[in-house]
Amino acid sequence: MRGTTTAGKWLLRIILALAVIFLVWHYLPLHQMETVRSAGGAQIKFRTNNDRIEVYTNKTWTPFFAKGVNIGAALPGTDPGELPITKEHYLQWFKMIQDMGANTIRVYTILQPAFYEAVVEYNQRHAGQPLYFIQGVWAPEEELIEQKDAYIDEIYQHFQRDISLAVGAVYGDADIPAEFGRASGSYRANAGPYLLGWQIGTEWDPTMVKNTNEKHKDKAGFTGAHFSAKPEASPFENWLAEMLDHLSSQEAQFGWSHPISFTNWVTTDPLSHPGEVLIAEDMVSVDATHIRVDDWAAGYFAAFHAYPYYPDFFHLDDTLKDLPEPDGTPNTYKSYLRKLKAYHPGMPVMITEFGVPSSLGVAHLGTMGRNQGGHDEQEQGRIDASLLHDIYSEGMAGAIVFSWQDEWFKRTWNTMNFEMPPERRKLWHNVLTNEQHFGLLAMLSSKDGPIRIDGDSSDWDALKPGDKRKLEGSYPGWKELWMTHDEAYVYITGKLEKPFDPQQEMLYIGADTIPGGNKHAEELGGRTLDEGLETLIVLGKDEESEVRIASNYDFHRRLYGLGYGMIDVKPEEFRDDSGLFQPWKLAVSLELITPDSKKHNPFEEVDAGKLKRGTTDTASQDFQSLAMWQAKGDTVEMRIPWMLLGFSDPSSLQVIGYGGEDGKLASVTTQGIRLVPWIVSRSGGQVTGLGDGKSPYPVSALPVYQWKPWDKVQYVERVKQSYDLMKQAFGSINGG
C-alpha cells in the first residue's frame, strides 16, 4: 500500500509540474510583450489612431508601418487544404522574412497548430524584435459565389463558426476536428500577443454583393456590442458589421483587443472608375466607412488588395493620369492610391496584397511596364520595390507584398483552359501560369539549379543514368543529342559538329508528340516529313529565338478564334499540314461588347514563346531567371516549358489534342516526344539534316523520348533576386 501511495504522489507531482510548464509556456508571450490596458481592461499592443496604426513600446504609442509578406498554405505538389508546412519550415521562413526587413506576415486562414507554435517559439527567441502577424479568416467563397446570397443560414453560420475557431486557434484554446481541406488539431500555443490585427473575408464577388443587396433590403441598422452598421450601409455591409462584431466579441473573451478589418479589392472598392470597360468591375461597392466602431479600443482599418494592372482601368482611365513620373509617364497606381486614401479620412488604409510575378507568361498589361507577368526576378524586385514606395509615400498604414513563396496549384485565366486535368495542376510547374510565380522565394522544379543553362553540359554528368537519355541515331550536324525533364521543363543539350553562330545560321528543333501537324513548311527548306510537327524550337539571333506552333494545332487561336470569334482566322490555317508555324501567343485582354461592357474593348494578345538567351547559373553576374537557352562553342543547351510544346499535364502524359471546327479543346495521351533537328545556313539556305529532300524524311523512325507518369514532385527552394531588392526597399522604410 505504501509503495502505491508513494507512486501516486510522484505521479501527481509530475502532472502538476507539467501543468506549470504548460501554463508558463502558454502565457510567457504575454509577460514578454509590453502592452497597455484599455479603459475597459483589454490588453492592447496595436491600435488605430486617425489614419495610422500605432504600436505600444517603451511605454509610449509609436507609429507603425506594416511592411511584410503574405504566406500561402501550400508547397509544390499540394493544395492549400493539405496544409503541408511544418513548424521547422515556418521557423526557417520567419528568419528569412525578418532578415529581409519585414516586420509582419499575413496568413489567409486558420493554419495547422504548427504555425502558431512556430510564431510563439520564434518570437520567444527574438523577444526584442518580434515578427508580428495578421490573421485572416476565409469566408465561404465558393458557396457565396454559387448561392449569391450572404444571408443564407448555412453561409452565415459557417463564417461565424470559422471566426470563432480562428480566435481560439490564435489564443491557443481550440480543438478543431479533422475535416478534409481544413486545418485541425489541438491549439495550445498562445500567439495572441504577437497578433497585429485581423482581416476577415475574401475578394468579394460583385454579383454576389449586388444580389445580396437587392434580395435583403430589410437587412439594415445592425447594432452590435463593438461594431455597428451606419444608416447608409448596404445589406452586405450590414452583414459585414455583424461578422466584425462577432469577431470582436470572441476576442474580448480572451481579454485582448486588436485592430480589425475585412478584405476588399479594387473590383468592389467605393470609388467610381469611369474608364473601366467591364461593367462587373465597377458594378457595386463595399464601403468600410459605412461601418461604425462603438466600443473597440484597438480600432478598425480598411484593407485592400491592389495591383497595378487589374482591372483594366489602370491603363485605360484618364482620371488616373494626373500624377506623372519624372519622365512624364502617368503613375496610375499612385493616383489610385491617393484617391483611395482620400476616400477614407481618419481611417488607416492598408494595402495587404500587391506585387508582380517573375514569370514567362503574362495575363494583364499595366502602365510603366507593371504587367502581370513577363518579368525576370530582377524586374519583379524593382517593380515590387517601386510599388512599396508608392504605397508608403501615399500615407498608407502598411504594405504586404504578395507573396512569400511560389505556389504551383494556382491557375490563371489565360492558361487554365489549357491545363487538363485541372486537379493535377499542382503536380507540375507551368512557366506560363503567372499566378504560380509571385513569390520572393522561388519554388523551382527539381532540375532548375542542378542543371544550369550556360552552354556547358558538364552538370548533366551528375544526373543518374536513368534520369537522362542520349538520342540514338543519325542527326547530321550533331555529334550527340541528350534529353531530360523535370516538373517544369524539357531539357535538351547536345554537341554540334562545328560551333553554332547565330549570325550565320539558324538552328531548328521540331517536336512531334501526336499524329498530325506540319509535314512541310517554309522553315523546312523545301524538305517534307513523313510525320508532322506540332511545335518548332527556333534558335538564332535574340529577336528570332522562340517556340512556334503549327497553325492547325495552335490551341490559343482555336479557342479565341474558332471558339469565341475574337481572332480573325482563315480556314486554310486549320487544315492538317497547313505548312504554317505561328508565334506562340497568350491572351491578355478579351474582346468585350455590350451588355457586359460599357464600350467595345478589343482582343489583345502577347508573344509567350520568346526564348531568352542567357544563363541560369545563380553564381554568375549574368544570371537571368528567364533564360531558356545558351550556346558556347559547339555546345547548345536549352530548357523548354512544357506548355510551349503543347502539354496540358506532363505528369500524366497529357497533351492538347487536335480539335474540331468548334474550337473545343481536349487532352490526349502522348507516347512521348520525337525531336527533329536541322540547321539552315543564312547565306545560301543550305539545310543540314532532314535528308536529301528526294523523299519524305522519316520522322516516324526517330527515337521517342519517354518518361513515367508521376504523382509526387521534388523541388528546389531558393530566394529570388527580388528578395534582395525588397530587402533594400524594406530597409529604406521605417516601420516603427
Side-chain angles (χ1 to χ4, degrees), residues 47-54 63-66 300-302 340-351 391-398:
R47 73 176 185 185
T48 63
N49 183 13
N50 195 19
D51 65 349
R52 64 189 183 188
I53 290 176
E54 294 180 332
F64 183 89
F65 182 83
Y300 169 58
F301 66 100
L340 189 68
K341 179 75 164 55
Y343 187 88
H344 298 82
M347 178 185 292
V349 180
M350 191 181 295
I351 304 301
I391 294 167
Y392 182 73
S393 67
E394 289 305 314
M396 299 299 179

Side-chain angles (χ1 to χ4, degrees), residues 308 333 354-356 370 383-392:
Y333 186 71
F354 73 96
V356 298
R370 294 166 163 178
I383 295 172
D384 281 359
S386 70
L387 295 173
L388 171 67
H389 286 295
D390 283 350
I391 294 167
Y392 182 73

Side-chain angles (χ1 to χ4, degrees), residues 43 52 83 89 121 147 153 190 227 266 284 400 521 555 649 713:
Q43 294 282 344
R52 64 189 183 188
L83 299 159
H89 215 149
E121 183 173 327
Q147 300 292 335
D153 284 345
N190 180 12
F227 289 85
V266 178
V284 67
I400 314 297
F555 36 89
D649 172 33
V713 307

